[in-house]
Every structure is written in structure tokens, then in C-alpha cells.
Amino acid sequence: MATFKLKSPDVSVQLPEGLSEEKLLAFSPFNNWVKTLTRSLSLQHNNTAHPFYEDPYSLRSVTIQSFDLFGSEPRQRLGFLKLTADVSNGAGEKLPGSIFLRGPSVAMLVMLIPDDVAPGQEEDDRYVILTVQPRIPAGSLEFVELPAGMVDEEGTFAGTAAQEIQEELGLDIPASELRCLSDMAAGVQEGAAEDAEESAGENLPAAMYPSAGGCDEHIPIYMHERRVPREQLSEWTGKLTGLRDHGEKITLKLVKMKDLWREGGRDAKCLAAVALFEGLRRENKL
């Protein structure tokens, strides 16, 4: 195994065969994890009230155990990373450091409302789009969940779920029509991200962490609400039942918003979206 040292912090990193220093340092989830952890560790020294102030923990070393590459040459890139981090204090006490790095994604709460419903009367007529698709890590071939993907360079919700929504419903979702429920709940103001970074504590992203004990993945929850003709919505409701045609890998399902907690009860994105939406409405922020 090859070894090199990070410039900041001064920590040795052990690499498995086939993974170069250059490819690792081009993987933004690794760089973001190092930056965030370094910041969090530094807070131990600056605050006498910190629980670890008297015997602070340090990152001693990182061992990359395995990795997965996505795509093919010449555009092949690092996709997933499994590593261990030695984080210990002067007494030799260690913090758990077995980590799966994959980076962030986004989830989309897409709500459709009949266009003849009066404002303020949408409660029973608000529908949510869900996806049904195989999720092999969960052992499922028909996992029901909130659409997940990314916001691409053009500022549009993108990915497999977004493509299915576009193909089935003809809906493109531009960034100008998105509201980030996670930012709203955290009190993040538009354009204030850099100031927040300087003043905040650990500066974790305003997002939902589905498995913080083992994975860096964090998912901000976005919302998009659109009014559509009632006839169109009725047609979609009858068509989008979650049942797939033979061989179809992903399909859509329309459910009432008031039933989302039950229909998507296995999906952390669904439950986070319900909590954020209802909490923000209680505080009159939506």
C-alpha cells in the first residue's frame, strides 16, 4: 500500500492498490469530509466548555480500504470510498471511525394541486410524487421513496428520478422554482452561506443525514409545488400507481400529502420532508 501525507492537516493516508493520490484528492466527498472534521476538531481547543477541551481528540491517520470507480476511461471517476480514520486523544481513547464516503444528493418533495382549489384549501387535494425502484442495498426490488437526484450545472433537478418525472408527466423543475426546506428550517438566508461558515460551530450542511454513524451522505430536502388541471391530475392519479410494466426499472406513484408519512414510512427522505413541511407550516414559514 502506498502512503502520502495531506498538507492540512498533517496526516498520513494509506492507499490501496489501484488508487492514486491524484484520484483521491480529486474526490470532493473526501476533501469535504477532511475539511469538516478538521474544523470540528479545532473547536475543542477554542472553547473551554467543549466536552473534549481537557483532552482533545486528533485525526492521526487515514486508511483507504476500498473504492468503486464509476464510468469508463477517459472519464472514469471515483464513486464510493470505504476508509477508517484513527481519531484518538492523549489517553489513547478512540472515536469510532469506520466510514463510507459517497457525498451528498438532494431529495425533491414535488407536490401537485388541482388548479381549481382555492388558496388555503389545498389540504385534501395536495398530491406528492414518489418513485418505486430497485434498491439492492436495502434488499428491495420495489422500494418506495421520495425522488432523489442532484441539481445540475444548469440549475435543474436532474438524475434518473427527474428523467422519469419529465418523461411521464412532462415536468421540468428549474432551480428558480425550488425552495430548500432544509435551509429554511436551519434559518439559512440566501447569499449568507460564506458568512455562516465563518461564524457557525461545526458548519455541517443544512441537510438530513440518513446514517451519520457510518456514512457522510447528506440530503437537503427541496420542495416544488405546481398547480395542474384537475382532469390531468385525475388521469395521473389513475395511471401512476407504482405498478411497473414488465422489465421496467423505475416508475412513479402519486399519493396524498397527508398519507406520505405512511406510504413512504421506510424512506428517511419522506419522513424528513413531512417533518420539515409540517414544522415550517406551523411556524408560518410556508
Side-chain angles (χ1 to χ4, degrees):
M1 297 179 81
T3 302
F4 75 96
K5 281 212 167 188
L6 294 174
K7 292 181 180 178
S8 179
D10 184 18
V11 169
S12 64
V13 179
Q14 215 170 38
L15 298 172
E17 184 177 350
L19 180 62
S20 67
E21 175 184 347
E22 179 183 23
K23 194 175 288 288
L24 175 64
L25 295 181
F27 187 48
S28 58
F30 177 76
N31 296 322
N32 292 337
W33 169 74
V34 171
K35 179 181 178 182
T36 303
L37 178 59
T38 300
R39 178 179 177 85
S40 296
L41 291 171
S42 72
L43 298 177
Q44 301 170 106
H45 306 277
N46 303 330
N47 182 3
T48 56
H50 196 287
F52 302 145
Y53 176 78
E54 293 186 359
D55 192 3
Y57 287 85
S58 298
L59 176 61
R60 313 285 180 179
S61 65
V62 175
T63 301
I64 310 296
Q65 297 174 312
S66 61
F67 61 96
D68 286 326
L69 298 175
F70 290 176
S72 55
E73 295 292 358
R75 303 187 115 183
Q76 196 173 56
R77 62 183 177 83
L78 197 56
F80 296 150
L81 204 63
K82 174 66 175 62
L83 61 89
T84 57
D86 180 358
V87 180
S88 57
N89 62 11
E93 298 171 329
K94 293 179 180 287
L95 297 178
S98 183
I99 304 159
F100 174 58
L101 291 183
R102 57 161 297 162
S105 60
V106 303
M108 192 67 63
L109 178 64
V110 180
M111 294 183 288
L112 304 176
I113 300 170
D115 59 4
D116 59 359
V117 174
Q121 305 298 316
E122 304 96 340
E123 197 64 32
D124 289 331
D125 277 311
R126 182 181 275 113
Y127 289 80
V128 176
I129 298 175
L130 298 177
T131 60
V132 182
Q133 61 186 313
R135 288 301 193 191
I136 298 305
S140 174
L141 297 181
E142 47 185 9
F143 197 81
V144 179
E145 61 185 301
L146 214 61
M150 66 199 78
V151 176
D152 65 18
E153 294 176 358
E154 283 72 42
T156 300
F157 178 51
T160 304
Q163 182 179 347
E164 183 72 7
I165 290 172
Q166 202 285 326
E167 290 176 356
E168 291 283 356
L169 308 181
L171 299 180
D172 288 311
I173 305 176
S176 59
E177 297 179 13
L178 298 179
R179 302 180 75 181
C180 185
L181 301 182
S182 299
D183 280 353
M184 294 171 69
V188 176
Q189 300 297 318
E190 189 173 346
E194 291 185 8
D195 293 339
E197 184 171 346
E198 294 301 319
S199 60
E202 292 190 331
N203 192 39
L204 296 179
M208 181 269 293
Y209 284 74
S211 186
C215 182
D216 72 316
E217 182 182 23
H218 50 281
I219 307 172
I221 311 293
Y222 286 85
M223 182 189 88
H224 173 75
E225 188 171 274
R226 183 173 298 194
R227 287 180 173 264
V228 298
R230 182 175 289 277
E231 297 77 15
Q232 181 70 80
L233 185 56
S234 296
E235 178 188 333
W236 287 342
T237 303
K239 173 185 174 184
L240 303 178
T241 61
L243 298 177
R244 287 172 291 175
D245 293 333
H246 184 71
E248 190 176 25
K249 291 187 175 68
I250 180 172
T251 191
L252 303 179
K253 182 177 184 179
L254 269 179
V255 303
K256 287 197 171 186
M257 178 63 190
K258 65 182 182 181
D259 297 327
L260 182 59
W261 65 273
R262 180 187 298 110
E263 295 277 356
R266 291 185 176 88
D267 178 39
K269 302 185 298 299
C270 279
L271 298 180
V274 169
L276 290 169
F277 182 75
E278 293 185 352
L280 288 166
R281 285 212 303 172
R282 279 197 301 272
E283 296 193 359
N284 296 315
K285 294 181 179 179
L286 280 177

